């Protein structure tokens, strides 16, 4: 990581040393918001942003995300978490209290196509993607030069279906060594094993075209062109053991017509993929996503 980006992260941490985020999901019932607000007030915390949603006020699931400013948050953190644990038991809450100061460590996996990687690196250099990109892992060498030019460790690990488990053992070792919080598949063209996925629940974000399930497999753009598609899109989602069927975080589309050949469709598709993946990653880094069954609530 170069000095400019280190300085950006340091400035972000200095600005947000007392900023926290609380994410909660639980059975909907009266008193949830009031209890959480009183808890934060008791610690002299000021609520900066609050978003909530209920699947059904009569027996549904309630979700809330609160961002707050709390004096001396670092010193209070352990006590706050202990006290909120008692509230969570009372309301049967699944919850997470995060400290904005702790910038998340990210690993990016990539193959030959670099457009999504380049978008993430640009957003990161500009300060719009607040993360510590700890390393990049690839089964090809194409990304090495651009990654190492930014002083980011680059690991070339050849991969195919015959050596998948051995490859993933090396990858998991690296992820543990760098204490990675989030894995981004920036057009990493390898299927992950259930073991790898289960070791990182809701911590792997993928991107792919939105032709699925119409054009599964190889050469989707060529087949889409042959059908005369009018929309090119992209989907970003958390990875599960059901291939490309995990909880969707973000999607977008761009219109095309008969004038667009296959190369044009691919260019348009790459542009949509870049922006969709970047948004999904930012929302995860900002703790804006709660997973419910096979869906997401994005605040």
């Amino acid at each position: 990581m170069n000095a400019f980006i280190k300085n950006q992260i340091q400035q972000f941490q200095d600005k947000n040393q007392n900023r926290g985020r609380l994410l909660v999901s639980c059975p909907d019932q009266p008193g949830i918001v009031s209890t959480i607000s009183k808890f934060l007030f008791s610690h002299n915390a000021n609520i900066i942003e609050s978003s909530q949603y209920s699947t059904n006020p009569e027996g549904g699931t309630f979700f809330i995300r609160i961002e707050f400013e709390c004096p001396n948050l670092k010193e209070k953190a352990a006590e706050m978490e202990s006290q909120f644990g008692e509230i969570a038991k009372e309301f049967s809450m699944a919850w997470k209290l995060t400290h904005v100061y702790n910038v998340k460590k990210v690993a990016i996996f990539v193959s030959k196509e670099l457009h999504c990687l380049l978008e993430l690196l640009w957003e990161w250099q500009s300060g719009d993607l607040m993360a510590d990109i700890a390393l990049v892992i690839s089964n090809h060498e194409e990304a090495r030069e651009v990654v190492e030019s930014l002083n980011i460790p680059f690991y070339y690990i050849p991969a195919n279906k015959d050596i998948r488990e051995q490859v993933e053992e090396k990858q998991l070792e690296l992820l543990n060594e760098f204490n990675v919080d989030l894995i981004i598949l920036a057009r990493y063209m390898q299927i992950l094993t259930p073991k790898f996925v289960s070791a990182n629940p809701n911590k792997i974000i993928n991107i792919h075209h939105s032709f699925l399930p119409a054009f599964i497999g190889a050469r989707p753009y060529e087949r889409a062109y042959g059908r005369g598609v009018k929309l090119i899109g992209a989907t970003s989602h958390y990875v599960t053991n059901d291939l490309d069927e995990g909880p969707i975080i973000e999607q977008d589309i761009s219109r095309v017509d008969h004038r667009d050949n296959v190369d044009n469709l691919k260019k348009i598709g790459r542009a949509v993929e870049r922006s969709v993946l970047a948004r999904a990653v930012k929302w995860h880094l900002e703790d804006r996503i709660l997973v419910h069954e096979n869906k997401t609530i994005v605040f």
Side-chain angles (χ1 to χ4, degrees):
M1 188 189 304
N2 62 39
F4 174 73
I5 296 171
K6 282 184 178 179
N7 185 56
Q8 283 188 324
I9 291 177
Q10 185 60 56
Q11 288 180 4
F12 176 86
Q13 290 178 316
D14 291 344
K15 180 181 177 181
N16 291 284
Q17 58 183 321
N18 291 318
R19 183 69 61 92
R21 297 173 184 142
L22 179 62
L23 282 76
V24 171
S25 62
C26 63
D28 201 352
Q29 59 184 293
I32 301 170
V33 176
S34 173
T35 301
I36 294 175
S37 299
K38 287 178 181 177
F39 164 77
L40 292 173
F41 178 72
S42 72
H43 289 278
N44 199 29
N46 183 32
I47 295 173
I48 306 300
E49 180 182 339
S50 180
S51 302
Q52 63 190 63
Y53 167 72
S54 176
T55 59
N56 188 336
E58 300 293 335
T61 303
F62 179 80
F63 305 88
I64 188 167
R65 176 191 184 273
I66 295 177
E67 189 157 328
F68 61 90
E69 193 80 13
C70 182
N72 303 312
L73 179 59
K74 288 183 185 178
E75 292 77 8
K76 294 178 181 178
E79 179 186 359
M80 290 178 71
E81 290 181 5
S82 176
Q83 289 182 10
F84 196 80
E86 296 302 312
I87 295 173
K89 290 179 184 177
E90 179 184 352
F91 288 89
S92 301
M93 292 175 174
W95 63 285
K96 179 171 70 172
L97 178 62
T98 64
H99 308 278
V100 178
Y101 176 90
N102 294 325
V103 174
K104 293 178 177 62
K105 291 189 176 183
V106 169
I108 302 176
F109 285 40
V110 65
S111 291
K112 286 186 175 181
E113 295 187 56
L114 305 187
H115 55 284
C116 287
L117 169 68
L118 294 173
E119 180 74 15
L120 294 171
L121 293 177
W122 165 248
E123 295 270 5
W124 181 65
Q125 291 177 83
S126 66
D128 292 330
L129 188 76
M130 188 46 60
D132 178 355
I133 300 181
L135 72 162
V136 173
I137 295 174
S138 181
N139 57 330
H140 294 278
E141 288 278 10
E142 274 78 354
R144 179 184 293 278
E145 183 177 357
V146 66
V147 170
E148 292 185 340
S149 71
L150 295 170
N151 296 320
I152 300 171
F154 178 84
Y155 292 88
Y156 167 56
I157 307 177
N160 59 60
K161 63 181 180 180
D162 298 323
I163 57 171
R164 189 163 289 151
E165 291 188 5
Q166 301 94 302
V167 166
E168 288 187 350
E169 285 181 10
K170 294 179 184 177
Q171 293 170 341
L172 288 170
E173 287 176 6
L174 286 169
L175 297 175
N176 289 329
E177 178 185 339
F178 283 90
N179 296 313
V180 166
D181 300 299
L182 174 65
I183 302 161
I184 306 169
L185 306 184
R187 298 294 291 169
Y188 182 65
M189 307 307 289
Q190 294 289 314
I191 296 174
L192 303 178
T193 67
K195 179 182 177 181
F196 189 97
V197 174
S198 63
N200 299 281
N202 297 326
K203 289 173 55 180
I204 310 172
I205 295 180
N206 190 27
I207 184 73
H208 60 70
H209 61 77
S210 281
F211 294 138
L212 298 174
F215 302 111
I216 297 173
R219 301 173 63 83
Y221 283 96
E222 285 79 0
R223 289 183 288 135
Y225 174 77
R227 285 288 305 278
V229 298
K230 299 299 184 283
L231 295 172
I232 296 290
T235 294
S236 186
H237 63 92
Y238 287 119
V239 174
T240 65
N241 287 324
D242 296 318
L243 183 62
D244 292 333
E245 294 186 16
I248 292 171
I249 302 170
E250 173 64 331
Q251 295 177 295
D252 205 351
I253 59 169
S254 182
R255 296 201 66 86
V256 296
D257 62 27
H258 58 276
R259 299 176 184 87
D260 294 300
N261 59 28
V262 173
D263 286 340
N264 287 341
L265 296 187
K266 290 180 178 180
K267 289 178 183 178
I268 294 166
R270 287 194 290 267
V272 180
E273 288 174 0
R274 294 199 310 263
S275 61
V276 167
L277 180 60
R279 288 198 295 273
V281 169
K282 287 178 186 178
W283 292 341
H284 181 99
L285 295 174
E286 295 171 1
D287 302 303
R288 294 191 174 277
I289 308 169
L290 293 98
V291 176
H292 176 56
E293 298 174 349
N294 200 41
K295 300 167 69 174
T296 62
I297 289 85
V298 182
F299 288 128

